[in-house]
Amino acid sequence: MGSSNPSIATLSFFLIFLPITCFKLCKCSSILCPQIEKQSLLSFKHSLQDPYHQLSSWDDDSDANCCKWNGVVCNNSTGHVHQLHLRGLSLRGQINPSLLNLKHLTHLDLSLNNFKQTIPSFFGSFTKLELFNLSFAGFHGVIPHNIGNLSYLRTLDMAGFPNIVPAGHYNFYYSKTWAGYPDMEFAAHVSFPNLLQVDNLEWLSRFSGLEHLNMNFVNLSRATDWVQVINTLPSLQQLRFQNCSLGYISPLSYLNITSLTLLDLSSNNFHSTEVPKWIFGLQNLHFLDLRNNSFKGPIPANSNATKLKYIDLSFNFLNSTVPSWLYSCIDLEFVVLDYNFLTGAVPAGFTNLCKTRRLSLSNNNFQGNLSFIFGNMSECFLEALEILDLQFNRISGQLIDQLGEFKSLEYLNLNKNLLTGPIPASMGKLSSLKILELAGNKLTQNLPHSFGQLCNLEIIYIFDNKLEGVVTETLFANLTKLNVFSASYNQLSLNVSQSWMPPFQLIVLGLGSWSLGSGSKIPSWLETQKNLSDYLDLSDTGISGSVPSWFWNTRILNLSHNQLHGEIPDVRGAAQFIYLSSNKLEGPLPRVGDALKELDLSNNSFSGGISHFLCDETYPTYSLEILHLGENLLSGELPDCWKKWPSLRYLSLGNNQMYGSIPTSIGLLANLESLNLQSNRFSGEIPFAMHNCIKLVKMGLADNNLEGSIPAWVGTSLVELRILILRSNNMSGQISSSICQLSYLQILDLSNNELSGVIPRCIHNFTAMVMKRRSLSDLFRQYGNEKSWYSYSIFNAGGFRESALIVKKGGKLEFDNILPLVTSIDLSMNSLSGEIPYELTSLSELGSLNLSANQLSGLIPENIGEMKQLESLDLSRNSLCGQIPRSLAFISGLGYLDLSYNNLTGRIPEGTQLQTFNASSFVGNHLCGLPLTSNCSEDEKEKEMNEKAAEVEWFYVLLSLGYALGFSVACTALVLKKGWREAYFGLLERMWISLTTST
């Protein structure tokens, strides 16, 4: 990053806190700068590269007055150079030490250049400097300690290069500057190394008059005492330590920085510590940014920072309610608490604040009824608020009419809550509204006609609700600024004329599951949308025909679940996400470009081999992360070209007609998390090279002809596995105990193979089967990321989703990434022997257990009833003996049970569950009682009574034996021990005398 020459336009996005006036030449033409200072400046110029001729006014003419040069400011009386402002001139090269002759310099600004060198140590000799700005100037290495010699400094700005916003990302908030305070960083950070660093900060303590300090993006990780150093700067007003790799923030016993008005510690990592209380003791604080720091625990309950105007605590792990002091700060303009675990009701006290322009509480656990929160808003709050973001919470109730009373509201986001009822017509009065997001609720009825009055509306997200009705072209008549309309997954219909010419130009359009009113044709009005390049969703709309050629230039294209047919061309354009599953497409697979990220062509009729697709030499490598080609007619062997696909995270070729061995190069897919090759004819052994796929979460190889033993490295190398499905192959040998190292495993299916030996007793190490059930999206979610890896489209409704298939008696269960996952173990139809290990019963969250059709013997574990979450249990066709444990009768959720064809005996335990099953669940044993038709015989009852009687008799026999043994031991002791005997009879004599005397 430091070696490039970023344009001024790019770097100007990063707002520097100190406003700098572009100084021109001194107006006092009669005052000349000293010749030595002029020569120093010329030497400085000649040592640099000036590609844009920004220093062209620095003339070598002997009569030239350097006080008139661009960026040079002289003293009006003496002519000495006092200020040098060279900000943003794209200068390069090495800085000449001739600048040392500028002995009267008080301001030196070299920011926004590209010097590509370490900070010269001679900078420490400018002892009269009051302002020193080296930000974004291409410097690298350790900041020299002698900068501490600049004891008159009031402003020091050494900010390094920040994390640039990645191309293609857009965020409504983070691209703007609010109230003079910069939001300089996008929420999803891209990691670049810090180019500047320190080995300590002790030299800062010499700046007793320092007021503004900016070291954003400088690596301060070695400065563990930074808090104590900063506390020695009594004049400090602004402190910016954003993204400085700080890992520790210590407490303070006293505050010496009481003048601080701005504190930015965002994007560090304070190792899950609580927010220090001293921060909220800063009485003059106006601006506080602590976002993205891994702070945990509560927001402090008390605060002296009553003058706050801006507070950002987002992207942490805070888990308290909102303290009352926060909504008592009457000057608050911006409140950002997004992405935490905050709870309780959204305080209605926020709606009494008169200056608040932004209220962002998204992605928390807030609850409460919308009418209780916003039903009684103050007039000044309605006047001031511009942004309201409550998305991804649990707020309930209906949208209320009061929401239409905001005067300045530009952004309203209530996505993914529990809202119901219609969209009120009053929302048509939000004349300033630009962005409206109501997706992922349970809103009903049609879109109100008043929507047509929102003439400033640019973005609408209302997908995934229960809206219904007919939408006509009159609704859109005045929406000339509309560029995003995403309303997929409702029950809406579009009724427009064939000649309709929309007044808008969309870049995003989502009409998934709509009735488009054009039969099965793709609507002709779509061709008028020349800017539709970002997102198009026409999934599940019933359209047919071939895919129009201009669709392939759309970045995100979802045409799944339709009747499209024909072949598709090579996809080399701008498309990055393509979902065409469940159509009637055919022919060979298309070749793809290196920009494509996700491709889902599943459930079509593509045929032929895949070598031309995988081994295409057009690009050395490809960027594809998700490839779903399952449920087609693909055939041939799997080519050995996987080194060209290093970014793959999901691969599915299941349910095709492929054969041959699994190539070793698949082990080069170091980022692979889900492998699905089920229902083909693959043969041979699982290649050892796959032990390198250490990120695998799911391995699905069922219904093939694979052979050999289950590799031990599956347990030792693939430690992230959650789902392992090897069902219906020719696997043999014993189940290695190494498989027990898969502590995250939630689905294990080894059924219908040729496995032998015993079930490992270490099976209780599957600790994830003791945890509460989670969805597949939870299993695949990576720490620190806000979206799951499996698909971009999950947040735009539609597209590809991960799934898992469990086969159990009575049917098959398929789970997608939303439904809660049933944990399962299926070892059926093998040749396993020995007893069922009692350790198995410790898996208290196991939902399905199938051990049928093996050679298991012994008793059913007595405590099997502790597996309270069992929904399906199949132990049939083994050699189990003994009685059915009584605890089994009390698993209330058990929906399927098969104990047939074993050697079980006795009465079927009576309870709330077992008698509800069909008799077929118990046949082939020696059982009696309901639901079997044969009642327990008199002989059986007598046998049970005799067994109980025998138990009682043995009790008395043992009691008598114990008494006799104790009596004989006592008598023997009295015979052998004369002293004991005399004491014993003496005691009896005294007791007799005492008894007779008392009577």
Side-chain angles (χ1 to χ4, degrees):
M1 193 66 195
S3 62
S4 63
N5 180 27
S7 67
I8 298 175
T10 300
L11 287 175
S12 63
F13 171 77
F14 303 101
L15 181 65
I16 307 302
F17 67 89
L18 183 67
I20 301 294
T21 306
C22 184
F23 287 90
K24 298 298 181 180
L25 54 88
C26 180
K27 300 299 182 181
C28 302
S29 57
S30 60
I31 302 298
L32 298 176
C33 67
Q35 189 67 21
I36 188 172
E37 296 184 11
K38 174 182 174 181
Q39 291 302 320
S40 296
L41 291 173
L42 288 174
S43 298
F44 170 72
K45 172 189 174 182
H46 295 320
S47 68
L48 299 176
Q49 302 174 39
D50 182 13
Y52 300 104
H53 308 291
Q54 302 283 352
L55 302 182
S56 58
S57 64
W58 292 26
D59 194 352
D60 287 345
D61 192 324
S62 59
D63 296 330
N65 184 359
C66 69
C67 291
K68 297 182 179 181
W69 290 351
N70 182 32
V72 179
V73 178
C74 298
N75 183 278
N76 290 339
S77 301
T78 65
H80 289 301
V81 176
H82 275 200
Q83 300 183 13
L84 194 58
H85 295 280
L86 303 180
R87 170 184 171 83
L89 303 185
S90 297
L91 302 175
R92 306 175 187 174
Q94 298 290 311
I95 296 175
N96 195 306
S98 63
L99 286 180
L100 282 174
N101 289 317
L102 306 180
K103 298 184 181 299
H104 301 275
L105 203 62
T106 61
H107 288 63
L108 179 58
D109 186 348
L110 301 177
S111 62
L112 289 172
N113 286 289
N114 192 14
F115 294 114
K116 292 191 294 187
Q117 66 174 99
T118 58
I119 296 176
S121 59
F122 66 78
F123 278 171
S125 300
F126 292 115
T127 55
K128 293 186 178 181
L129 276 184
E130 298 175 12
L131 181 149
F132 192 25
N133 191 345
L134 300 183
S135 60
F136 311 120
F139 292 111
H140 58 84
V142 177
I143 297 175
H145 291 188
N146 66 351
I147 298 295
N149 295 334
L150 311 180
S151 57
Y152 289 102
L153 273 183
R154 290 185 291 108
T155 295
L156 176 61
D157 190 341
M158 311 191 82
F161 280 98
N163 297 342
I164 304 298
V165 178
H169 284 270
Y170 173 76
N171 186 284
F172 181 73
Y173 308 134
Y174 287 85
S175 62
K176 294 193 175 183
T177 300
W178 300 106
Y181 299 122
D183 257 340
M184 295 197 297
E185 192 174 18
F186 184 71
H189 306 291
V190 178
S191 296
F192 288 95
N194 298 94
L195 300 179
L196 280 173
Q197 56 184 300
V198 301
D199 49 21
N200 66 66
L201 284 177
E202 293 178 4
W203 49 272
L204 276 178
S205 60
R206 306 178 205 170
F207 300 148
S208 59
L210 192 66
E211 297 175 356
H212 303 95
L213 175 61
N214 184 357
M215 301 188 76
N216 287 345
F217 308 101
V218 177
N219 189 334
L220 305 180
S221 59
R222 295 182 181 178
T224 55
D225 61 344
W226 67 271
V227 174
Q228 285 72 24
V229 172
I230 295 301
N231 201 37
T232 65
L233 306 176
S235 301
L236 195 63
Q237 297 176 17
Q238 295 190 3
L239 174 64
R240 299 176 184 272
F241 277 4
Q242 179 187 141
N243 208 333
C244 291
S245 302
L246 295 171
Y248 178 68
I249 181 167
S250 61
L252 284 176
S253 57
Y254 73 98
L255 278 177
N256 192 38
I257 45 175
T258 55
S259 299
L260 203 64
T261 62
L262 184 150
L263 177 61
D264 184 355
L265 299 177
S266 60
S267 299
N268 289 286
N269 186 356
F270 293 117
H271 302 300
S272 297
T273 57
E274 293 189 359
V275 181
K277 294 181 179 179
W278 63 261
I279 291 179
F280 294 95
L282 299 168
Q283 297 182 6
N284 292 305
L285 201 61
H286 291 173
F287 177 102
L288 177 62
D289 192 345
L290 300 179
R291 62 190 151 110
N292 193 30
N293 273 316
S294 299
F295 283 126
K296 68 175 184 179
I299 300 175
N302 299 300
S303 172
N304 292 325
T306 57
K307 298 179 182 179
L308 274 175
K309 296 181 180 180
Y310 182 112
I311 182 169
D312 190 342
L313 303 179
S314 60
F315 294 95
N316 285 290
F317 301 104
L318 303 174
N319 58 8
S320 65
T321 57
V322 177
S324 60
W325 65 260
L326 184 54
Y327 48 87
S328 298
C329 296
I330 59 175
D331 293 322
L332 265 182
E333 298 180 33
F334 302 94
V335 182
V336 187
L337 305 179
D338 305 321
Y339 290 94
N340 280 286
F341 297 93
L342 299 172
T343 59
V346 175
F350 279 126
T351 67
N352 294 321
L353 298 175
C354 290
K355 298 180 181 180
T356 303
R357 296 165 57 191
R358 174 180 173 186
L359 180 60
S360 295
L361 308 177
S362 70
N363 292 271
N364 280 286
N365 296 319
F366 286 120
Q367 300 176 358
N369 191 289
L370 198 69
S371 62
F372 297 157
I373 303 169
F374 297 105
N376 189 24
M377 296 178 282
S378 65
E379 286 296 325
C380 56
F381 181 75
L382 290 168
E383 190 73 35
L385 196 67
E386 298 175 9
I387 294 174
L388 177 59
D389 187 358
L390 299 175
Q391 65 175 318
F392 284 87
N393 281 289
R394 299 184 60 81
I395 296 170
S396 58
Q398 296 191 3
L399 297 176
I400 55 178
D401 288 334
Q402 287 90 331
L403 291 177
E405 297 177 4
F406 287 105
K407 302 299 188 296
S408 306
L409 195 66
E410 297 181 6
Y411 182 96
L412 175 61
N413 192 335
L414 299 174
N415 286 343
K416 297 297 289 184
N417 278 284
L418 304 174
L419 301 173
T420 58
I423 299 174
S426 64
M427 295 189 71
K429 297 188 296 184
L430 297 173
S431 57
S432 299
L433 195 65
K434 296 179 180 179
I435 299 177
L436 175 63
E437 302 195 30
L438 303 174
N441 286 286
K442 297 180 180 180
L443 301 176
T444 57
Q445 300 185 26
N446 202 351
L447 298 178
H449 293 296
S450 61
F451 259 37
Q453 303 171 19
L454 301 175
C455 56
N456 287 308
L457 202 59
E458 299 174 6
I459 297 174
I460 300 177
Y461 284 107
I462 52 175
F463 63 83
D464 196 19
N465 277 288
K466 296 183 177 181
L467 300 170
E468 57 185 356
V470 178
V471 177
T472 64
E473 57 192 74
T474 58
L475 183 71
F476 301 102
N478 297 317
L479 304 184
T480 57
K481 297 181 181 180
L482 193 66
N483 54 59
V484 172
F485 184 75
S486 180
S488 298
Y489 306 99
N490 287 285
Q491 301 174 32
L492 295 166
S493 300
L494 183 64
N495 185 9
V496 296
S497 63
Q498 292 185 353
S499 59
W500 183 48
M501 296 288 291
F504 46 71
Q505 283 292 323
L506 299 176
I507 60 174
V508 169
L509 175 61
L511 297 178
S513 77
W514 278 50
S515 174
L516 299 182
S518 56
S520 60
K521 297 180 180 179
I522 296 176
S524 58
W525 61 265
L526 282 176
E527 296 187 35
T528 68
Q529 301 301 295
K530 303 302 182 183
N531 298 329
L532 194 57
S533 58
D534 196 64
Y535 181 87
L536 176 60
D537 179 7
L538 298 179
S539 62
D540 196 23
T541 56
I543 56 175
S544 62
S546 58
V547 180
S549 59
W550 64 273
F551 277 16
W552 302 116
N553 294 319
T554 307
R555 191 173 71 91
I556 304 169
L557 178 64
N558 187 359
L559 303 177
S560 59
H561 299 276
N562 283 299
Q563 303 296 318
L564 298 171
H565 56 78
E567 299 184 6
I568 62 176
D570 292 345
V571 183
R572 305 286 200 189
Q576 293 182 336
F577 304 85
I578 296 178
Y579 311 103
L580 297 174
S581 63
S582 301
N583 278 284
K584 297 181 179 180
L585 300 168
E586 57 189 2
L589 293 174
R591 292 178 175 86
V592 299
D594 62 345
L596 195 64
K597 299 290 187 183
E598 299 183 12
L599 178 64
D600 186 353
L601 303 179
S602 62
N603 195 19
N604 281 284
S605 298
F606 291 103
S607 58
I610 64 172
S611 294
H612 69 286
F613 176 91
L614 288 178
C615 305
D616 183 12
E617 295 294 337
T618 305
Y619 304 97
T621 58
Y622 292 81
S623 303
L624 203 65
E625 298 181 11
I626 290 179
L627 177 60
H628 194 355
L629 302 176
E631 297 179 84
N632 279 287
L633 303 174
L634 301 172
S635 58
E637 295 191 26
L638 200 57
D640 202 13
C641 302
W642 295 103
K643 65 180 180 180
K644 300 175 70 66
W645 305 87
S647 301
L648 267 181
R649 291 190 284 177
Y650 175 95
L651 172 63
S652 177
L653 296 169
N655 296 90
N656 280 287
Q657 302 170 12
M658 307 192 73
Y659 55 85
S661 60
I662 299 174
T664 56
S665 66
I666 208 166
L668 299 176
L669 302 178
N671 292 305
L672 194 64
E673 297 182 24
S674 183
L675 175 64
N676 303 268
L677 302 180
Q678 70 278 0
S679 300
N680 282 281
R681 289 179 286 157
F682 291 117
S683 57
E685 297 186 354
I686 301 174
F688 174 74
M690 282 183 60
H691 81 283
N692 294 317
C693 302
I694 58 175
K695 294 183 180 180
L696 266 180
V697 175
K698 177 186 176 186
M699 181 190 288
L701 304 179
D703 298 292
N704 282 288
N705 297 316
L706 298 172
E707 56 190 30
S709 60
I710 299 173
W713 52 259
V714 170
T716 56
S717 297
L718 309 184
V719 294
E720 296 294 326
L721 268 182
R722 272 75 164 167
I723 300 173
L724 177 59
I725 303 178
L726 303 178
R727 177 182 63 249
S728 300
N729 281 285
N730 300 317
M731 310 295 292
S732 58
Q734 297 187 359
I735 301 175
S736 170
S737 60
S738 65
I739 202 171
C740 297
Q741 298 184 41
L742 301 177
S743 59
Y744 296 129
L745 201 65
Q746 289 200 271
I747 295 179
L748 174 63
D749 189 346
L750 307 179
S751 63
N752 197 16
N753 279 284
E754 300 171 7
L755 301 172
S756 57
V758 299
I759 300 173
R761 306 194 76 89
C762 57
I763 200 168
H764 65 282
N765 289 331
F766 295 153
T767 52
M769 297 185 184
V770 186
M771 301 168 63
K772 293 294 182 182
R773 297 179 188 176
R774 295 173 292 176
S775 65
L776 277 176
S777 59
D778 292 326
L779 296 185
F780 285 88
R781 191 174 298 276
Q782 295 177 338
Y783 176 78
N785 288 353
E786 295 311 322
K787 87 177 184 69
S788 297
W789 69 267
Y790 48 84
S791 180
Y792 170 93
S793 64
I794 186 61
F795 288 102
N796 290 278
F800 167 74
R801 293 180 175 181
E802 172 65 286
S803 63
L805 182 69
I806 298 176
V807 176
K808 71 169 191 175
K809 294 299 178 64
K812 298 181 179 180
L813 295 177
E814 184 166 8
F815 301 93
D816 69 9
N817 54 14
I818 302 298
L819 297 176
L821 187 66
V822 173
T823 53
S824 170
I825 293 178
D826 191 344
L827 305 179
S828 63
M829 290 183 284
N830 283 287
S831 299
L832 300 174
S833 57
E835 296 184 347
I836 299 174
Y838 71 88
E839 291 87 352
L840 181 65
T841 61
S842 66
L843 305 179
S844 57
E845 289 294 318
L846 190 66
S848 177
L849 175 62
N850 190 350
L851 303 178
S852 65
N854 280 287
Q855 301 171 16
L856 299 172
S857 58
L859 304 175
I860 299 174
E862 185 65 33
N863 57 342
I864 195 170
E866 295 179 4
M867 304 174 75
K868 299 295 186 183
Q869 300 302 320
L870 271 182
E871 299 175 10
S872 175
L873 175 63
D874 191 345
L875 304 179
S876 64
R877 288 171 291 165
N878 281 287
S879 299
L880 301 172
C881 60
Q883 296 185 341
I884 299 175
R886 287 191 56 80
S887 63
L888 189 60
F890 300 100
I891 302 179
S892 59
L894 195 62
Y896 181 88
L897 175 68
D898 193 350
L899 302 178
S900 62
Y901 300 103
N902 281 284
N903 295 318
L904 300 172
T905 58
R907 179 189 295 272
I908 297 174
E910 296 179 355
T912 59
Q913 199 69 16
L914 299 187
Q915 279 66 41
T916 64
F917 292 108
N918 192 283
S920 60
S921 298
F922 304 96
V923 298
N925 289 286
H926 305 286
L927 298 168
C928 61
L930 294 176
L932 297 176
T933 56
S934 58
N935 293 325
C936 293
S937 64
E938 293 298 327
D939 293 339
E940 184 68 29
K941 293 179 181 179
E942 184 177 350
K943 179 181 178 183
E944 290 183 12
M945 293 177 63
N946 289 338
E947 289 176 351
K948 293 180 180 179
E951 292 177 2
V952 174
E953 291 173 1
W954 275 108
F955 171 77
Y956 288 114
V957 168
L958 294 174
L959 181 63
S960 301
L961 287 174
Y963 175 77
L965 180 61
F967 183 75
S968 61
V969 169
C971 291
T972 302
L974 293 176
V975 171
L976 297 177
K977 295 287 186 176
K978 180 180 179 182
W980 290 16
R981 186 168 60 251
E982 291 176 349
Y984 175 70
F985 286 112
L987 175 63
L988 290 180
E989 183 178 9
R990 288 191 296 274
M991 290 176 62
W992 173 255
I993 294 172
S994 175
L995 181 62
T996 54
T997 303
S998 62
T999 56

